[in-house]
Amino acid sequence: MPTRLSIRGGEVVVFTRGDAEARGYSRRARENFLASGKWRRLRRGVYATVPQGRLFREEEHLVHLAGALLLAGKGWHASSWSALVAHGVPVYAHSLGRIHLTRDAEAYSHRASTSAVRIERPLHGEEMWSPTVSRWGIPTVGVSGALCDFARTARFVSAVTAADNALHKGFLRAEEFRQFARLASGRGAGRLRKVAEFSDGRVESPGESRLRVLVREMGFRGTPQLSIRDGDGPEIYRADLFVEVPGSRGLILEYDGRQKFSNVRGSSQWTEFERQASRDRGLAARGYRVMHVTAQDLADPALLKSEIRTRLQSPV
């Protein structure tokens, strides 16, 4: 049965040659659709309709994942990074060139090729691996199991970004994640435990997760979504990340993502800029230092670390 994926405001249909033939498309008709660019071949015997816009890499992976599952047959589930993508969890700085699949079996086995990783392991009876279905109808292992598997081998920043987001979206609880990590053994178990201890569901965006990891690399502690109050009064501000430094007042780091000023409701971008400037002045008047960070800043970690150190040493 074809898989329909609603992405980038449109729909991509992934289907097999058998699906096309069942709907009356002859070989010549299929070749014409391919030649016209309306369809594309994902792999032998599997096709997808072509959307008008260019796909993000996660969306491209999702399309190929749907095709791989159609060929794999019953019993296979997306796992590790493929399952995270299927649930909308960001997989930052990790190759999505291969599909990761798992199916239920009595004994563990592992097969890898240039296009896919296939794992067989017991799935039922273990909460973290219990199969589920993503919002696109993609069968996956449990998000907890996918995240634990991913964190064993991924870069620390990649795993933390995924973990923060999964916790923030409520796919699992922090204590549950840490318990799974404590019980883990084998390859990458230590890595997984470090990710579980550091991850924090209060973080609201992948950019903030990356910023937290950068601050950690500098040897500082960062508190996400710190509530700032006017004396004993109500909350006046919530900081994306507060860098705590012994003997210093610390520093508020605000991550200004691409969407911050582009999706402003009920006001113009300039109004939002003015509000931000007013907040910064209010925080400065209360003795706080504020530094704004963008995705472009994160692209040069060495320079950003130097700038953060400079701000921490400055009197204002």
Side-chain angles (χ1 to χ4, degrees), residues 53-103:
R54 183 179 178 182
L55 301 181
F56 292 115
R57 70 186 196 102
E58 292 86 357
E59 294 171 333
E60 184 69 23
H61 185 79
L62 190 64
V63 171
H64 283 274
L65 171 61
L69 284 167
L70 286 178
L71 279 186
K74 294 181 179 180
W76 286 97
H77 303 77
S79 46
S80 191
W81 60 83
S82 291
L84 296 178
V85 169
H87 285 282
V89 175
V91 180
Y92 166 73
H94 186 85
S95 173
L96 295 180
R98 293 196 294 179
I99 303 298
H100 201 291
L101 301 177
T102 297
R103 72 176 175 183

Side-chain angles (χ1 to χ4, degrees), residues 85-131:
V85 169
H87 285 282
V89 175
V91 180
Y92 166 73
H94 186 85
S95 173
L96 295 180
R98 293 196 294 179
I99 303 298
H100 201 291
L101 301 177
T102 297
R103 72 176 175 183
D104 189 31
E106 293 184 4
Y108 179 89
S109 70
H110 176 282
R111 289 179 295 160
S113 68
T114 56
S115 61
V117 176
R118 290 179 173 83
I119 306 291
E120 292 184 304
R121 66 170 13 127
L123 294 180
H124 296 279
E126 294 190 46
E127 181 184 356
M128 66 185 292
W129 293 110
S130 296

Side-chain angles (χ1 to χ4, degrees), residues 285-314:
R286 291 170 174 83
Y288 291 98
R289 289 174 293 179
V290 183
M291 177 177 171
H292 291 269
V293 178
T294 66
Q296 186 175 357
D297 296 323
L298 284 172
D300 191 341
L303 178 59
L304 179 55
K305 289 177 182 178
S306 176
E307 291 176 343
I308 290 174
R309 288 194 179 94
T310 299
R311 289 301 303 272
L312 284 169
Q313 294 167 2
S314 67

Side-chain angles (χ1 to χ4, degrees), residues 16 36 109 130 146 159 162 164 224 244 261 271 279 291 316:
T16 65
S36 69
S109 70
S130 296
D164 284 350
E244 304 172 39
F261 300 109
T271 301
R279 287 193 296 265
M291 177 177 171
V316 292

Side-chain angles (χ1 to χ4, degrees), residues 185-207:
S185 60
R187 181 189 175 196
R191 242 172 152 165
L192 167 59
R193 281 189 280 273
K194 288 180 181 178
V195 171
E197 288 302 318
F198 186 72
S199 58
D200 195 316
R202 291 175 294 176
V203 179
E204 296 182 341
S205 73

